[in-house]
Amino acid sequence: MLAAAVAGCGGRADTTGPSAAGCPAVLQEAREDVTKAESTDSAWTGPTTGPAAVPGKSIVYVAQTMTNPGVAGVAQGLRRAAKAIGWEVRVIDGQGSPAGIQAALSQAVTLKPSGIVIGGFDPRLTSQQVARARAAGIPLIGWHAVDAPGPSTNPPLFTNITTKVQDVARISADWVIARSDGGAGVVLFTDDSIPFARTKADLIERRLADCPGVELLASANIPIPDASRRTPQEVSSLLSRFGKKWTHSVAINDLYFADAAPALRAAGKPGGGPPSNIGAGDGDPSAFQRINSGQYQAATVPEPLAQQGWQIADEFNRAFAGRPASGYVAPVHVVTADNSGGATSWDPRGYQEAYERIWRG
């Protein structure tokens, strides 16, 4: 696999990597894409109509692991949305292992809730439990459960909520190409056990391959539940192998850079890079803090985690009312220290008010 990461947006392009290799059309396209994605004009473009709140519902959110900041951030958003719509929410932590996730979903089905959220794991790991939920008439909504947003027949999901993985992967690669002027030595951090993450990494590779001056140095396959234990050692090994050739990194989830930072710091690497680091999701508060302080992460392509928690509630409400899914997909966005405004999250403006107006009827 191939991948990449970047220097601070709006800053000087990194020139320590391989020389740019004749991809002027790709470079120009990447610069245009990045400029658009960095825009802070994030007004609400989602649904403004839908069914009034169906009362008395209960939701169980089954989390892949609550140590995944993206999974946890969506759970927090759902809790707030449930309070606004008048429902109950329970979170069950699968603790990152197949057995734990299967047990958590089994418990969820046994509770007989109005709906269940597949929070950040592959439903194929839990096919028996999914079949039980379907037999019981319990609608399922996924968050990062499958590659694409929207309804799914196999696995049976009323809808799956995510930004478009193609957009996230492309803008991550484009940012690398643009900020390095088409010349970089890159390392990818991924988790091949999650199909969504594997697809994202593959798409990043394909886009980066459009620019011959971008060189893959290594692909580190580290399961997210093992990241805190394995990433520091892997980073130390990569530094020994590649030295100054390693100019950029991209990770399928920001959390890898939280675990990479101590090893980079111990090796005397500056917080602003190289290597300069971009997270291709999920944009949790700690990622924003690293970006804002210039400490071992330069950018992120955030999911609007709070908004997606509210969207889960709205999509369930549509399911309970016999309506189709909304079809809303959040736009892709790039956050850097130059455009974050010091914030620790990103969500489209006005989403709470929009959903509350819908639910009031």
Side-chain angles (χ1 to χ4, degrees):
M1 283 189 183
L2 181 60
V6 300
C9 223
R12 179 177 60 83
D14 190 313
T15 57
T16 60
S19 59
C23 58
V26 173
L27 180 57
Q28 179 60 30
E29 188 176 45
R31 287 170 173 163
E32 293 172 357
D33 290 347
V34 168
T35 297
K36 181 179 179 181
E38 288 174 337
S39 170
T40 56
D41 180 15
S42 55
W44 179 243
T45 58
T48 56
T49 61
V54 178
K57 298 299 182 178
S58 61
I59 306 299
V60 174
Y61 182 96
V62 179
Q64 179 238 2
T65 171
M66 289 294 281
T67 63
N68 181 328
V71 171
V74 173
Q76 184 178 29
L78 176 58
R79 286 188 176 110
R80 292 174 179 170
K83 184 176 181 180
I85 202 172
W87 295 349
E88 295 182 357
V89 169
R90 177 170 177 174
V91 175
I92 303 177
D93 191 346
Q95 300 184 10
S97 71
I101 292 167
Q102 290 166 3
L105 189 52
S106 288
Q107 183 182 355
V109 175
T110 300
L111 291 171
K112 298 181 180 179
S114 308
I116 295 174
V117 182
I118 305 294
F121 60 90
D122 182 357
R124 289 176 296 184
L125 293 172
T126 56
S127 56
Q128 293 181 355
Q129 292 82 5
V130 166
R132 285 177 51 205
R134 188 174 187 181
I138 302 171
L140 302 174
I141 286 179
W143 181 82
H144 285 204
V146 294
D147 292 347
S152 170
T153 55
N154 185 22
L157 302 175
F158 178 75
T159 195
N160 181 59
I161 296 173
T162 177
T163 50
K164 291 182 179 178
V165 66
Q166 297 91 338
D167 293 345
V168 174
R170 183 183 176 95
I171 200 61
S172 302
D174 279 351
W175 205 64
V176 174
I177 294 166
R179 291 303 108 187
S180 68
D181 281 337
V186 302
V187 170
L188 168 65
F189 295 91
T190 187
D191 180 351
D192 284 347
S193 71
I194 302 173
F196 182 89
R198 186 169 60 248
T199 297
K200 186 188 296 184
D202 289 344
L203 290 167
I204 291 169
E205 173 184 356
R206 293 175 199 172
R207 178 57 173 170
L208 288 171
D210 289 340
C211 196
V214 176
E215 178 188 0
L216 172 65
L217 300 177
S219 178
N221 174 27
I222 302 173
I224 286 175
D226 297 338
S228 61
R229 177 175 59 86
R230 290 180 50 184
T231 303
Q233 182 177 355
E234 183 68 21
V235 168
S236 296
S237 175
L238 290 165
L239 287 169
S240 297
R241 290 169 62 192
F242 300 115
K244 292 182 179 180
K245 289 185 66 178
W246 180 11
T247 65
H248 295 79
S249 320
V250 66
I252 55 88
N253 190 298
D254 294 299
L255 63 81
Y256 289 100
F257 297 129
D259 300 317
L264 292 169
R265 188 178 294 112
K269 293 294 182 179
S276 297
N277 302 319
I278 182 171
D282 292 316
D284 66 276
S286 68
F288 277 75
Q289 291 163 5
R290 288 189 296 276
I291 291 165
N292 291 337
S293 61
Q295 291 298 305
Y296 303 102
Q297 186 164 352
T300 186
V301 185
E303 296 281 340
L305 300 174
Q307 178 270 315
Q308 289 175 335
W310 283 66
Q311 185 178 351
I312 288 172
D314 185 65
E315 302 291 4
F316 271 127
N317 195 57
R318 293 168 191 269
F320 300 149
R323 305 280 188 88
S326 73
Y328 176 66
V329 181
V332 71
H333 183 58
V334 172
V335 169
T336 71
D338 290 340
N339 70 359
S340 73
T344 57
S345 64
W346 175 79
D347 292 284
R349 292 196 305 270
Y351 73 91
Q352 293 187 32
E353 296 82 357
Y355 283 128
E356 287 176 335
R357 282 194 296 269
I358 292 171
W359 299 339
R360 284 196 297 267

